[in-house]
Amino acid sequence: MIGNNRGAIIEEKPDTLEIALQECRAAALHGYEIAKVNLVESSKAIGQVAQSLSQCMKTLEGKSVRTTGIVNELKAQLAGVVNELELLQRTTEQNLEERRLRLDRFSITLFGRTMSGKSTLMEILTHGDGQSIGLGAQRTTRDVRNYIWKDMEITDVPGVAAFEGVEDEKMAFKSALQADLVVFLITDDAPQPVEAECLAQVRSLGKPVLGVCNVKVAIDDKDDLLLFLRNPIRPFERTRLNQLIDQFHEFADQHIPGKRIPFVATHLRARFLAERVEFAENRENLLRTSRFDAVESLIIREVIGRGTFLRTKSFIDGAVAPMMDLSDMLLNFSAQNSTSGRVLIDKRRQFQEWSQRFKTDGQERINTIISKLMDGLRDDVPEFAEEHYEDSKAGEMWNKHIKSIGVNEKIKMLQNTMLEECKEALIEVARELKRELSFVAELTGDRTITMGSIFDLKRAWNWGITIAGGGIGVAALILGSGPLGWAAGAVGLVGWLVSFLFDNREKKVRQAREELSKSLRDNIDKMESTIRQQLSNWFQQELLEKQVYALLEDLDAMTSGLFDLADAQRNLAWTLNERQKVLGRTLVEEALCQLNAENIKIAVKDVARVPGLAAMLVIEPNTSFPSHIRNGLERLLGEVIWFVIDTGNEKSILSQAIGRGCERGKIRIEWNLKVAHIPLDELDVLTRSRVKLAQQLTGLHVMR
């Protein structure tokens, strides 16, 4: 809400701000020491987790997986986690070092969209000539500018929410990260959702924010100025401005609900023109009607009132915010990998069932076609023997007979059919996995660590290509040195022998037919046994072992790797979570000390905190927490204070932390996985925001 700031003045003694700033310097050094200790402790904790990540990596490298790209994807994820850890440590150290160089001055950053009045405010505070003020063009400030006002460092940053201003926004948020206090400027035209989103991002850094609403009534023209001075109250009409501020806060609440920031209204252009020579005759009127004293008063009261705490807080939150982002991301990746692992388990089970059916059915089909072909040949033996018992080329004619009935073609056809069925099954597994794993990834949303596709459809297609090129070599053996070749030789030999060994024609004919028939049947038996063995070996080795079982082994390796990775990510997230809780408790204890309420610290059993949103305190049963202490904590932190009673029951604590926005009966906990399932889609914005606090307190990853 816009307060009644007409004629506001600073009531403090002249040296009050100076004293406060001296105390701020001491507080900054204290905050720096806290952050430095945290860096050391975080480094130790991260080092321990890094060892488990390294072992996880070695285990993956040792897996005998034919499709090595799968393991490479998992290793890439592990490497991504390690890189993020190293980046977190480096960034935190770098930010801390940058802040160490600025310990002596309280830091204020001006934040807001392009053309909101930041440059004008800078010109007012520095008594500038207006050269930095835009004339209606976009993105006037393109770099970070620092200047001193009342012994405080003021930083003017590029405007946010500008078209194609991504780099400007990065620069602005980096500067805000270093600030002890942020002054957020908006204008009195319609608030933009993108502005509110930027405010939410600043608040999520844990930064205290003061709001300035810049009334932009035109006054540069003489007639416009006279019109404004005739009724200077109209642009500041409280109902209109309050409605505008309420709408702005509603936009921001969609991203991070919580305590609303205080706003004052001012006409920055009027205050700037009051110092210009050409407006000298209206100087006093412009000074009064600009209401700029309210802006100065708001900032100075903030520095005097809680400046020392803010300096300590800025160092602590500088460590908490990036850790919180990384731990959230790790938990989401862990959940995604665990879910993907369960998808793979289910898919492996389905494929295993198919492979069993394929094995049984395939062997039956091999036996059936061979039996059918060989039985057909046996049926042809009597007639063939009758026609060819005296033929010296009986073997050659027998081979022609085999060709005529298409033995080779029928065996090749069976092989091709089984090859195609196997290939289609592998490709279908790939398609289903890609679809289902993509769906899992979509549910987890965008993350900083880009997780590559765990299952590549092209790679699975290559499995099929490998199968097709795996050789249909069994049929080729039939006409080589295999059983049919032996049969031809045997038939020729029999025909030659009977022509010389027998004298009686009828007897010779009968014996010749019998000998030829027996020779053919014996060799058909041998041929059947050999072909059956060769075809079965081909089926077992080329299809089952090299393709089907290889995929099953790959799925096992993938599943194991995913769960190992999920465990490593989850363990790291909870390690970071513990560091956040330690820092949160430290900050709350610092606040209690400033409130002269050190005796209450013993009643606080645990602390969870989301910067810019709320702090949640676990207190002993029957503990009285005075309302004025709670109000003081909320004022110092700039966050809502919520309480949870330590019942000793994890589910009870989780339910209290989530609040009444979710029925306790709808909370389901998988204790072995340390995961709590709740209907997140059914929760209101405030309840969803409490989920992070509940997660911190219980060490349970809250998911859908």
Side-chain angles (χ1 to χ4, degrees):
M1 290 288 194
I2 295 290
N4 183 359
N5 50 41
R6 283 181 293 164
I9 60 172
I10 304 170
E11 299 177 354
E12 290 80 8
K13 296 178 181 179
D15 62 349
T16 304
L17 178 60
E18 182 179 346
I19 293 171
L21 290 175
Q22 289 174 357
E23 293 173 348
C24 284
R25 294 184 188 102
L29 183 59
H30 178 53
Y32 172 79
E33 294 298 333
I34 293 174
K36 192 72 175 175
V37 169
N38 172 70
L39 264 181
V40 174
E41 294 301 317
S42 295
S43 180
K44 290 179 183 176
I46 289 173
Q48 292 172 353
V49 175
Q51 291 181 354
S52 67
L53 290 174
S54 177
Q55 184 57 47
C56 194
M57 194 95 71
K58 289 179 182 178
T59 302
L60 281 175
E61 289 173 345
K63 290 184 183 297
S64 178
V65 180
R66 293 164 178 80
T67 313
T68 55
I70 294 171
V71 172
N72 290 338
E73 292 288 353
L74 298 176
K75 285 165 60 179
Q77 266 205 67
L78 275 173
V81 172
V82 173
N83 289 339
E84 288 293 322
L85 280 176
E86 293 174 349
L87 179 61
L88 171 66
Q89 198 71 3
R90 285 198 308 270
T91 302
T92 306
E93 288 176 358
Q94 181 180 345
N95 290 339
L96 184 60
E97 182 59 22
E98 289 177 2
R99 291 189 60 77
R100 185 186 67 80
L101 300 175
R102 302 162 68 181
L103 284 176
D104 289 343
R105 294 195 187 278
F106 192 93
S107 174
I108 300 174
T109 293
L110 306 182
F111 214 89
R113 67 177 170 87
T114 301
M115 304 305 296
S116 61
K118 300 188 305 301
S119 296
T120 303
L121 178 55
M122 185 194 76
E123 292 286 343
I124 294 169
L125 298 179
T126 60
H127 305 286
D129 58 8
Q131 290 185 5
S132 67
I133 300 175
L135 299 176
Q138 285 281 311
R139 302 164 72 183
T140 304
T141 303
R142 300 303 305 277
D143 54 11
V144 175
R145 300 179 295 193
N146 298 312
Y147 53 96
I148 304 301
W149 174 69
K150 296 185 181 295
D151 206 26
M152 293 181 285
E153 183 179 61
I154 310 295
T155 303
D156 185 18
V157 300
V160 296
F163 181 66
E164 296 183 344
V166 176
E167 292 303 317
D168 288 353
E169 284 197 5
K170 288 182 180 178
M171 198 181 301
F173 280 109
K174 183 178 180 180
S175 179
L177 189 62
Q178 297 290 336
D180 299 309
L181 177 66
V182 172
V183 175
F184 199 97
L185 284 84
I186 64 172
T187 58
D188 66 335
D189 50 10
Q192 302 298 314
V194 68
E195 286 181 280
E197 183 178 354
C198 289
L199 171 64
Q201 290 183 51
V202 171
R203 286 179 52 199
S204 68
L205 297 174
K207 298 302 174 184
V209 182
L210 300 179
V212 172
C213 180
N214 182 19
V215 175
K216 299 192 76 173
V217 176
I219 59 171
D220 285 70
D221 182 80
K222 184 176 180 180
D223 291 337
D224 289 337
L225 176 60
L226 291 175
L227 186 62
F228 169 68
L229 293 177
R230 203 174 293 153
N231 188 8
I233 296 177
R234 183 177 179 182
F236 293 91
E237 200 273 314
R238 190 184 299 183
T239 301
R240 180 182 75 89
L241 293 180
N242 281 342
Q243 288 175 345
L244 181 144
I245 297 302
D246 285 342
Q247 185 180 7
F248 181 72
H249 278 131
E250 287 172 7
F251 286 147
D253 285 345
Q254 294 175 14
H255 303 281
I256 180 170
K259 289 184 71 65
R260 296 188 167 185
I261 67 173
F263 265 91
V264 293
T266 184
H267 195 304
L268 292 176
R269 186 66 178 171
R271 178 63 181 82
F272 171 73
L273 293 179
E275 302 294 337
R276 308 300 293 170
V277 174
E278 57 268 35
F279 288 86
E281 63 178 302
N282 291 302
R283 183 176 188 279
E284 294 303 322
N285 285 334
L286 287 171
L287 287 174
R288 185 182 68 258
T289 56
S290 71
R291 304 193 182 189
F292 186 74
D293 282 349
V295 176
E296 291 188 290
S297 180
L298 181 67
I299 295 172
I300 293 173
R301 283 202 308 268
E302 184 78 351
V303 175
I304 293 173
R306 59 172 183 154
T308 54
F309 179 75
L310 293 183
R311 295 229 70 188
T312 302
K313 179 177 182 289
S314 66
F315 280 97
I316 291 176
D317 283 342
V320 169
M323 272 198 293
M324 183 170 292
D325 288 341
L326 181 54
S327 59
D328 286 347
M329 180 176 58
L330 287 168
L331 284 175
N332 278 283
F333 269 129
S334 175
Q336 177 177 335
N337 287 329
S338 293
T339 304
S340 296
R342 288 191 287 273
V343 168
L344 288 177
I345 288 174
D346 185 58
K347 197 56 57 185
R348 188 197 185 284
R349 178 187 56 76
Q350 295 176 24
F351 189 66
Q352 174 73 34
E353 292 173 355
W354 175 87
S355 68
Q356 290 293 340
R357 293 193 302 270
F358 182 67
K359 178 181 179 181
T360 302
D361 180 61
Q363 195 60 57
E364 287 179 357
R365 289 158 75 183
I366 288 172
N367 292 335
T368 298
I369 193 171
I370 292 176
S371 296
K372 186 176 180 179
L373 289 171
M374 297 303 107
D375 287 347
L377 286 174
R378 290 187 182 96
D379 291 342
D380 293 340
V381 165
E383 184 178 348
F384 184 87
E386 181 68 33
E387 294 179 0
H388 298 282
Y389 66 88
E390 289 185 310
D391 193 345
S392 62
K393 296 182 178 181
E396 184 179 335
M397 298 303 294
W398 180 246
N399 280 338
K400 288 183 179 179
H401 176 68
I402 291 174
K403 281 188 176 181
S404 69
I405 63 176
V407 172
N408 289 347
E409 289 75 10
K410 290 173 182 176
I411 290 177
K412 285 182 179 180
M413 188 179 299
L414 173 64
Q415 286 183 294
N416 282 327
T417 300
M418 296 171 74
L419 283 166
E420 286 301 316
E421 289 178 4
C422 186
K423 187 168 80 171
E424 284 301 318
L426 294 177
I427 292 173
E428 183 58 27
V429 169
R431 287 198 192 100
E432 292 178 1
L433 278 175
K434 184 174 184 179
R435 183 175 61 251
E436 293 179 32
L437 293 178
S438 295
F439 179 69
V440 169
E442 287 174 9
L443 290 179
T444 61
D446 292 333
R447 302 292 162 203
T448 303
I449 301 177
T450 302
M451 189 175 82
S453 173
I454 295 176
F455 201 91
D456 188 340
L457 184 58
K458 185 176 185 298
R459 186 181 300 126
W461 174 263
N462 287 340
W463 277 330
I465 298 300
T466 301
I467 295 171
I472 312 176
V474 174
L477 295 172
I478 295 175
L479 297 180
S481 60
L484 292 185
W486 300 337
V491 170
L493 177 63
V494 170
W496 178 78
L497 285 174
V498 295
S499 66
F500 287 97
L501 295 179
F502 295 94
D503 296 328
N504 184 282
R505 174 74 183 173
E506 184 177 343
K507 185 177 180 182
K508 284 198 294 183
V509 168
R510 185 175 65 252
Q511 288 179 343
R513 284 199 302 263
E514 289 175 356
E515 290 292 337
L516 180 57
S517 297
K518 183 177 184 303
S519 178
L520 290 173
R521 289 193 181 97
D522 287 346
N523 282 277
I524 288 172
D525 290 342
K526 292 178 182 178
M527 181 172 62
E528 178 180 8
S529 175
T530 301
I531 294 176
R532 193 184 301 277
Q533 184 63 47
Q534 290 176 336
L535 199 53
S536 295
N537 288 344
W538 170 84
F539 178 63
Q540 178 69 30
Q541 294 169 9
E542 299 299 325
L543 287 190
L544 294 180
E545 292 181 7
K546 291 185 179 180
Q547 309 303 332
V548 175
Y549 297 159
L551 175 56
L552 289 171
E553 289 175 10
D554 280 358
L555 291 174
D556 284 339
M558 289 170 63
T559 303
S560 174
L562 280 169
F563 283 125
D564 287 347
L565 181 57
D567 288 342
Q569 290 168 328
R570 186 167 50 247
N571 291 338
L572 175 56
W574 294 131
T575 299
L576 296 177
N577 185 71
E578 287 303 312
R579 294 305 312 157
Q580 293 169 48
K581 288 170 67 176
V582 168
L583 290 173
R585 186 179 188 92
T586 299
L587 190 61
V588 168
E589 290 180 350
E590 288 286 328
L592 290 173
C593 287
Q594 288 215 12
L595 296 170
N596 297 316
E598 294 95 329
N599 59 315
I600 295 181
K601 290 193 294 188
I602 194 172
V604 179
K605 310 300 292 182
D606 204 355
V607 174
R609 182 171 163 265
V610 174
L613 172 65
M616 190 168 280
L617 279 55
V618 179
I619 58 176
E620 295 178 342
N622 304 315
T623 297
S624 175
F625 208 98
S627 59
H628 71 281
I629 299 299
R630 176 179 184 168
N631 293 336
L633 276 177
E634 291 187 337
R635 179 181 60 82
L636 285 174
L637 291 169
E639 298 161 358
V640 177
I641 299 296
W642 288 318
F643 295 100
V644 168
I645 305 302
D646 184 11
T647 60
N649 182 294
E650 216 166 354
K651 186 170 183 178
S652 168
I653 292 174
L654 178 69
S655 179
Q656 291 181 69
I658 293 174
R660 297 178 180 177
C662 177
E663 297 176 20
R664 184 170 181 178
K666 292 185 177 181
I667 299 174
R668 181 174 60 85
I669 299 176
E670 293 182 85
W671 295 107
N672 58 324
L673 298 178
K674 293 190 74 64
V675 170
H677 297 280
I678 65 173
L680 291 174
D681 296 336
E682 299 177 10
L683 307 182
D684 56 54
V685 176
L686 183 61
T687 304
R688 283 201 300 271
S689 68
R690 293 177 65 112
V691 165
K692 281 190 177 182
L693 293 159
Q695 194 166 264
Q696 274 190 51
L697 283 180
T698 60
L700 294 169
H701 184 197
V702 181
M703 303 169 55
R704 288 182 179 83

